[in-house]
Amino acid sequence: MTIKAKDLVNYGIILLCRDDEYSRLAAEKIVSIWGANVDVFYQKGNERPENFRELIARKIAISFRSLIVLTQAELDAVALAVNFHPAPPEYPGVGGYNFAIYEQAREYGVTLHLMSAKVDSGSIISVKRFPIQPDVTVAELKDRANVEMLKMLDKFIKDLLLLGEDGLLKLISNQIEVWNENTISRKKLNDLCTVSLNLSAEEIKKRLRAC
């Protein structure tokens, strides 16, 4: 199903997010642009209410800092589902901040993409990149990514009202960004953040700074 801009008034938004400052700012931003037809589901972890599928049915689902991964059945129930990923496409999965610092990356970014049943693999809508300093900390990188995602969210909601889903799909068709096929698992992140006496002093220093 493709939603035309003129039909968006018939659809509500459900925001899936954490119970934190940046998520509350995201909720306020959506309401200020979209209007009253917005539901916000603040969750701890990845729990779902019993009526979750009914709750999201025929709505535009926006995942912002959420740990919930929609199943295929849930994706089939929504009108549209997008995720704001706090890392560029080079770092799908978890721990993008950590690996970027460990690899001494010179730039970082955030990604907006269509949701799919496989984590961080849906079609990319847009990417915002920014330079990072060599001494950046994980906390600083997280904050910058969250700020950039709020800016990206603002533009997405306005574009959605202007273009509708059909317009967004046209933007996707011209997108040259692609996901790294090597998704970062929780195990990979845990391995990165594990140090032992077998490692060199330089390697231990790099891991401690990245974690």
Side-chain angles (χ1 to χ4, degrees):
M1 176 175 58
T2 300
I3 307 171
K4 297 187 179 299
K6 65 182 179 63
D7 298 324
L8 284 172
V9 68
N10 300 317
Y11 293 87
I13 286 178
I14 181 163
L15 173 65
L16 309 175
C17 58
R18 304 183 192 185
D19 188 5
D20 61 22
E21 176 187 1
Y22 286 110
S23 295
R24 287 189 288 274
L25 289 172
E28 292 172 6
K29 186 174 294 291
I30 293 173
V31 171
S32 69
I33 300 172
W34 197 264
N37 197 9
V38 177
D39 294 321
V40 182
F41 178 52
Y42 296 106
Q43 92 277 2
K44 296 179 180 179
N46 59 357
E47 84 280 5
R48 291 165 163 78
E50 292 183 2
N51 64 334
F52 184 70
R53 187 172 175 183
E54 291 74 22
L55 187 66
I56 65 175
R58 290 185 57 77
K59 290 185 178 178
I60 298 168
I62 297 177
S63 174
F64 187 95
R65 292 178 47 74
S66 174
L67 298 178
I68 290 178
V69 179
L70 297 186
T71 65
Q72 189 58 55
E74 291 165 345
L75 289 170
D76 291 340
V78 300
L80 175 68
V82 298
N83 178 53
F84 288 82
H85 179 59
E90 295 92 319
Y91 302 107
V94 300
Y97 320 107
N98 311 89
F99 277 91
I101 290 176
Y102 176 76
E103 295 171 357
Q104 300 176 316
R106 295 185 177 183
E107 69 172 16
Y108 196 67
V110 295
T111 307
L112 170 61
H113 65 96
L114 296 180
M115 293 186 74
S116 60
K118 180 183 176 183
V119 172
D120 299 335
S121 64
S123 298
I124 294 173
I125 299 172
S126 64
V127 178
K128 169 62 177 178
R129 298 179 184 276
F130 49 86
I132 56 177
Q133 297 300 315
D135 60 348
V136 68
T137 66
V138 173
E140 289 169 342
L141 198 52
K142 283 183 178 180
D143 281 339
R144 177 65 188 275
N146 283 320
V147 168
E148 294 299 335
M149 285 199 302
L150 285 172
K151 294 178 183 177
M152 184 178 277
L153 173 65
D154 181 270
K155 185 178 186 305
F156 168 71
I157 297 298
K158 291 174 180 176
D159 283 349
L160 190 59
L161 283 172
L162 178 66
L163 304 174
E165 187 191 2
D166 51 350
L168 289 177
L169 294 177
K170 290 179 182 178
L171 292 178
I172 292 172
S173 67
N174 295 324
Q175 181 59 251
I176 61 173
E177 297 274 6
V178 295
W179 289 107
N180 184 338
E181 295 181 357
N182 298 314
T183 301
I184 304 171
S185 65
R186 182 65 60 180
K187 181 181 184 304
K188 288 181 181 178
L189 177 59
N190 290 340
D191 288 345
L192 174 68
C193 295
T194 299
V195 297
S196 70
L197 296 178
N198 296 326
L199 300 174
S200 68
E202 181 63 24
E203 178 66 13
I204 291 175
K205 182 179 179 181
K206 284 180 62 180
R207 293 191 181 203
L208 291 177
R209 199 175 81 79
C211 296

